Amino acid sequence: MTTTTDNHFLAQAVHDLGTALWFGGSVMGIAGVNKSGADLTSGLDKVRVASSAWSRFSPAQWGGIAATLGTGLQLTSSNKGRLALQQGYGRVGAVKAALTVAGAGATAFAAYSGAKIGKLAEQAASSGGGLDVKDATLPSAGTPPEIKKWQARQRFTQAAVPALAGGVIVCNAWLVQAYRPVSTVKGLLGKVLPL
């Protein structure tokens, strides 16, 4: 039985749920939201549908990121001894923190790129030329060059988000497994008796 001083169940659960929300929502957005506009005929509507869906999901996505960051700090603070003594724990923890920060940055840039696409799409449509795109992030032959540029940026950063969030999940799985008694002993011995 664990005591309240060594039981981090709630922080770990919130961390894992936050990361799962961030990862899963990003994948669904790429596979579903961005592509849903392909069923529409108007290029402007294709961009508007995706922009609307992403902006509605944004608070949940940022909530997941905040949960990952906040509870990650809490879990790091409560594992100071393990960070200092167990071989590999600090290194994997640092990689996980870097992936989380990079993922948050990629999420912010993807949102910024989407806002730019939306603004440029509205401008193109209001100038009377209309807008031709395959979907929110894929240009067609008739897509204006500036919109193409931002679509490419958004596709890249949107793909980076689940890759980075997935990396956080993988690192977290390693860190959780490091709690197993055999892993702990091996990690401690590895610190004392490096091979």
Side-chain angles (χ1 to χ4, degrees):
M1 182 92 184
T2 57
T3 66
T4 55
T5 58
D6 66 0
N7 184 359
H8 308 292
F9 163 76
L10 184 59
Q12 189 66 59
V14 170
H15 179 279
D16 293 351
L17 289 169
T19 309
L21 171 63
W22 181 23
F23 174 81
S26 298
V27 171
M28 196 289 279
I30 293 167
V33 169
N34 290 349
K35 305 301 175 202
S36 64
D39 299 332
L40 304 172
T41 55
S42 162
L44 183 58
D45 286 345
K46 293 175 184 189
V47 172
R48 283 177 175 167
V49 165
S51 294
S52 175
W54 277 109
S55 67
R56 290 170 193 265
F57 174 64
S58 183
Q61 185 174 37
W62 284 106
I65 293 169
T68 301
L69 286 167
T71 55
L73 291 172
Q74 182 181 354
L75 291 167
T76 298
S77 176
S78 65
N79 284 296
K80 288 177 187 164
R82 200 173 281 278
L83 285 165
L85 298 174
Q86 191 169 344
Q87 185 181 33
Y89 201 86
R91 185 172 42 251
V92 174
V95 169
K96 179 183 156 193
L99 290 170
T100 304
V101 171
T107 301
F109 190 74
Y112 177 76
S113 297
K116 287 291 282 187
I117 293 166
K119 182 178 176 184
L120 291 168
E122 294 290 343
Q123 289 172 353
S126 68
S127 68
L131 177 66
D132 187 25
V133 293
K134 289 181 183 176
D135 64 35
T137 60
L138 284 175
S140 65
T143 303
E146 187 70 7
I147 294 176
K148 280 184 186 181
K149 178 175 75 173
W150 284 101
Q151 284 178 316
R153 290 173 180 169
Q154 188 179 43
R155 278 193 315 277
F156 176 78
T157 52
Q158 281 184 339
V161 171
L164 293 165
V168 171
I169 292 168
V170 169
C171 288
N172 193 56
W174 188 96
L175 293 169
V176 169
Q177 287 301 306
Y179 271 87
R180 295 173 57 219
V182 172
S183 297
T184 300
V185 170
K186 282 182 183 176
L188 291 172
L189 289 175
K191 245 339 194 196
V192 176
L193 306 168
L195 300 175

